[in-house]
Amino acid sequence: MTAAKDDAMDEAKQAAEGGMGARLFERVMERMGGRAHVTAVFGEPIERGGVTVIPVARLRWFFGAGSGSGPAQGGEGAAMGEGSGGGGGGGAEPVGYVEIGPSGTTFRPISDVYPSPAFVLVAGLSAALVIRALAKLLRG
């Protein structure tokens, strides 16, 4: 009974200290935070012919981490289970640019290369209605 109590106390101490998963999470956040500068969203200014252009992007960061512990299935005398893992990434999408010139400052948005899903759906339904109406006219 004393060994079980000691194991429980050790496990509680590890959980209170954060354990392996918490350390992994901290490392990921430190690295990502080190790259989260204003220049990641607002690019370096480019000057040409009296006009300054500052690129603007939308950044997305995502990550996941996990850990585990506890006895492996198998009963008495089985090895202790462990686990960990993690991953992440990010991406940048251009949204426009700030143009600074003699006439003032303007934000110029960049439209998406791909149409929105709602637009595709509405366009498809509209095309189906037009084709159906034309088919009725030709038959009738």
Side-chain angles (χ1 to χ4, degrees):
M1 187 76 147
T2 309
K5 188 175 181 181
D6 289 341
D7 288 343
M9 289 295 288
D10 289 342
E11 194 172 321
K13 284 179 185 176
Q14 273 187 334
E17 292 171 358
M20 194 170 180
R23 288 191 300 272
L24 175 64
F25 180 76
E26 286 176 14
R27 280 195 312 233
V28 169
M29 291 307 294
E30 283 174 6
R31 286 188 177 200
M32 289 176 70
R35 292 188 174 104
H37 295 277
V38 71
T39 55
V41 175
F42 295 99
E44 295 296 324
I46 302 163
E47 236 179 292
R48 296 281 189 282
V51 176
T52 302
V53 175
I54 303 170
V56 180
R58 176 183 299 126
L59 299 179
R60 295 189 177 137
W61 297 96
F62 50 92
F63 61 94
S67 68
S69 66
Q73 293 181 355
E76 185 96 15
M80 293 297 289
E82 278 191 45
S84 65
E93 173 186 345
V95 294
Y97 58 94
V98 176
E99 183 179 280
I100 305 169
S103 60
T105 301
T106 308
F107 175 74
R108 307 251 187 221
I110 297 174
S111 61
D112 285 341
V113 176
Y114 304 105
S116 73
F119 173 78
V120 172
L121 180 64
V122 169
L125 289 173
S126 299
L129 290 172
V130 168
I131 291 171
R132 186 175 174 196
L134 287 173
K136 265 188 175 181
L137 282 173
L138 292 174
R139 277 190 235 147

